[in-house]
Short mmCIF file of all heavy atoms in Angstrom, two decimals:
data_model
loop_
_atom_site.label_atom_id
_atom_site.label_comp_id
_atom_site.label_asym_id
_atom_site.label_seq_id
_atom_site.Cartn_x
_atom_site.Cartn_y
_atom_site.Cartn_z
N ARG S 91 -1.98 15.97 21.49
CA ARG S 91 -3.26 16.68 21.56
C ARG S 91 -4.16 16.26 20.40
O ARG S 91 -3.72 16.25 19.25
CB ARG S 91 -3.03 18.20 21.53
CG ARG S 91 -2.36 18.70 22.81
CD ARG S 91 -2.03 20.17 22.74
NE ARG S 91 -0.96 20.44 21.79
CZ ARG S 91 -0.01 21.34 21.99
NH1 ARG S 91 0.02 22.05 23.11
NH2 ARG S 91 0.92 21.54 21.08
N LYS S 92 -5.38 15.91 20.74
CA LYS S 92 -6.32 15.39 19.75
C LYS S 92 -6.89 16.49 18.88
O LYS S 92 -7.35 17.51 19.36
CB LYS S 92 -7.47 14.65 20.45
CG LYS S 92 -8.47 14.04 19.49
CD LYS S 92 -9.54 13.22 20.22
CE LYS S 92 -10.53 14.11 20.94
NZ LYS S 92 -11.64 13.33 21.50
N VAL S 93 -6.87 16.26 17.55
CA VAL S 93 -7.61 17.09 16.61
C VAL S 93 -8.94 16.40 16.31
O VAL S 93 -9.99 17.02 16.39
CB VAL S 93 -6.81 17.32 15.31
CG1 VAL S 93 -7.60 18.19 14.34
CG2 VAL S 93 -5.45 17.95 15.63
N PHE S 94 -8.89 15.11 15.98
CA PHE S 94 -10.11 14.30 15.92
C PHE S 94 -9.75 12.83 16.09
O PHE S 94 -8.62 12.41 15.83
CB PHE S 94 -10.92 14.53 14.63
CG PHE S 94 -10.20 14.24 13.34
CD1 PHE S 94 -9.96 12.93 12.91
CD2 PHE S 94 -9.78 15.27 12.51
CE1 PHE S 94 -9.32 12.66 11.71
CE2 PHE S 94 -9.13 15.01 11.30
CZ PHE S 94 -8.91 13.70 10.90
N ASN S 95 -10.70 12.06 16.55
CA ASN S 95 -10.58 10.61 16.67
C ASN S 95 -11.98 10.05 16.43
O ASN S 95 -12.85 10.15 17.27
CB ASN S 95 -10.07 10.21 18.06
CG ASN S 95 -9.77 8.71 18.15
OD1 ASN S 95 -10.47 7.89 17.58
ND2 ASN S 95 -8.72 8.37 18.90
N ARG S 96 -12.20 9.50 15.24
CA ARG S 96 -13.55 9.18 14.79
C ARG S 96 -13.68 7.72 14.39
O ARG S 96 -12.73 7.12 13.86
CB ARG S 96 -13.93 10.03 13.58
CG ARG S 96 -13.88 11.52 13.80
CD ARG S 96 -14.10 12.24 12.47
NE ARG S 96 -14.06 13.69 12.62
CZ ARG S 96 -13.56 14.52 11.73
NH1 ARG S 96 -13.04 14.05 10.61
NH2 ARG S 96 -13.58 15.83 11.95
N LEU S 97 -14.87 7.18 14.58
CA LEU S 97 -15.22 5.92 13.96
C LEU S 97 -15.37 6.12 12.45
O LEU S 97 -15.71 7.21 11.99
CB LEU S 97 -16.53 5.39 14.53
CG LEU S 97 -16.47 4.77 15.94
CD1 LEU S 97 -17.88 4.52 16.45
CD2 LEU S 97 -15.68 3.46 15.92
N LEU S 98 -15.11 5.07 11.69
CA LEU S 98 -15.35 5.14 10.26
C LEU S 98 -16.82 5.46 10.00
O LEU S 98 -17.69 5.10 10.81
CB LEU S 98 -15.00 3.81 9.59
CG LEU S 98 -13.53 3.40 9.61
CD1 LEU S 98 -13.37 1.99 9.04
CD2 LEU S 98 -12.66 4.39 8.85
N PRO S 99 -17.12 6.12 8.89
CA PRO S 99 -18.52 6.43 8.59
C PRO S 99 -19.36 5.15 8.51
O PRO S 99 -18.87 4.08 8.15
CB PRO S 99 -18.45 7.14 7.24
CG PRO S 99 -17.06 7.67 7.16
CD PRO S 99 -16.20 6.68 7.89
N GLU S 100 -20.64 5.29 8.82
CA GLU S 100 -21.55 4.15 8.79
C GLU S 100 -21.58 3.54 7.39
O GLU S 100 -21.61 4.24 6.38
CB GLU S 100 -22.95 4.60 9.19
CG GLU S 100 -23.92 3.45 9.36
CD GLU S 100 -25.25 3.88 9.94
OE1 GLU S 100 -25.36 5.06 10.35
OE2 GLU S 100 -26.18 3.06 9.99
N GLY S 101 -21.56 2.22 7.33
CA GLY S 101 -21.55 1.51 6.06
C GLY S 101 -20.17 1.06 5.63
O GLY S 101 -20.04 0.34 4.63
N TYR S 102 -19.13 1.48 6.38
CA TYR S 102 -17.75 1.13 6.04
C TYR S 102 -17.06 0.54 7.27
O TYR S 102 -17.29 0.96 8.40
CB TYR S 102 -16.99 2.36 5.54
CG TYR S 102 -17.65 3.03 4.37
CD1 TYR S 102 -18.43 4.17 4.53
CD2 TYR S 102 -17.51 2.50 3.09
CE1 TYR S 102 -19.05 4.78 3.46
CE2 TYR S 102 -18.13 3.10 1.99
CZ TYR S 102 -18.89 4.24 2.19
OH TYR S 102 -19.51 4.83 1.12
N ASP S 103 -16.16 -0.44 7.01
CA ASP S 103 -15.45 -1.11 8.10
C ASP S 103 -13.98 -1.27 7.74
O ASP S 103 -13.56 -1.04 6.61
CB ASP S 103 -16.04 -2.52 8.33
CG ASP S 103 -17.42 -2.49 8.95
OD1 ASP S 103 -17.65 -1.66 9.83
OD2 ASP S 103 -18.25 -3.32 8.54
N ASP S 104 -13.20 -1.70 8.74
CA ASP S 104 -11.89 -2.30 8.56
C ASP S 104 -10.89 -1.41 7.81
O ASP S 104 -10.41 -1.75 6.72
CB ASP S 104 -12.01 -3.65 7.85
CG ASP S 104 -12.87 -4.65 8.62
OD1 ASP S 104 -13.08 -4.43 9.82
OD2 ASP S 104 -13.31 -5.63 8.01
N PHE S 105 -10.54 -0.28 8.43
CA PHE S 105 -9.44 0.52 7.88
C PHE S 105 -8.15 -0.29 7.93
O PHE S 105 -7.89 -1.03 8.87
CB PHE S 105 -9.24 1.80 8.71
CG PHE S 105 -7.93 2.48 8.39
CD1 PHE S 105 -7.86 3.40 7.38
CD2 PHE S 105 -6.77 2.15 9.08
CE1 PHE S 105 -6.65 4.01 7.05
CE2 PHE S 105 -5.56 2.74 8.76
CZ PHE S 105 -5.50 3.67 7.75
N SER S 106 -7.31 -0.08 6.91
CA SER S 106 -5.90 -0.45 7.01
C SER S 106 -5.13 0.20 5.87
O SER S 106 -5.70 0.63 4.88
CB SER S 106 -5.69 -1.97 7.01
OG SER S 106 -6.00 -2.52 5.74
N HIS S 107 -3.84 0.34 6.07
CA HIS S 107 -2.86 0.76 5.07
C HIS S 107 -2.82 2.25 4.75
O HIS S 107 -1.75 2.83 4.81
CB HIS S 107 -3.04 -0.02 3.76
CG HIS S 107 -2.64 -1.45 3.85
ND1 HIS S 107 -3.48 -2.42 4.35
CD2 HIS S 107 -1.51 -2.09 3.51
CE1 HIS S 107 -2.88 -3.59 4.33
NE2 HIS S 107 -1.68 -3.41 3.83
N SER S 108 -3.93 2.88 4.36
CA SER S 108 -3.77 4.20 3.75
C SER S 108 -4.82 5.20 4.20
O SER S 108 -6.03 4.95 4.11
CB SER S 108 -3.84 4.07 2.21
OG SER S 108 -3.62 5.32 1.59
N LEU S 109 -4.33 6.34 4.69
CA LEU S 109 -5.16 7.53 4.95
C LEU S 109 -4.37 8.71 4.40
O LEU S 109 -3.35 9.10 4.97
CB LEU S 109 -5.43 7.69 6.46
CG LEU S 109 -6.56 8.65 6.86
CD1 LEU S 109 -6.95 8.42 8.32
CD2 LEU S 109 -6.19 10.12 6.67
N ASP S 110 -4.82 9.25 3.27
CA ASP S 110 -4.03 10.24 2.55
C ASP S 110 -4.65 11.63 2.64
O ASP S 110 -5.79 11.82 2.20
CB ASP S 110 -3.91 9.84 1.08
CG ASP S 110 -2.96 10.75 0.32
OD1 ASP S 110 -1.75 10.69 0.60
OD2 ASP S 110 -3.42 11.53 -0.53
#
Side-chain angles (χ1 to χ4, degrees):
R91 291 175 291 219
K92 181 176 74 173
V93 180
F94 59 74
N95 187 323
R96 302 173 179 144
L97 284 170
L98 294 174
E100 188 172 352
Y102 304 100
D103 289 321
D104 300 343
F105 166 89
S106 69
H107 289 83
S108 183
L109 195 165
D110 187 68

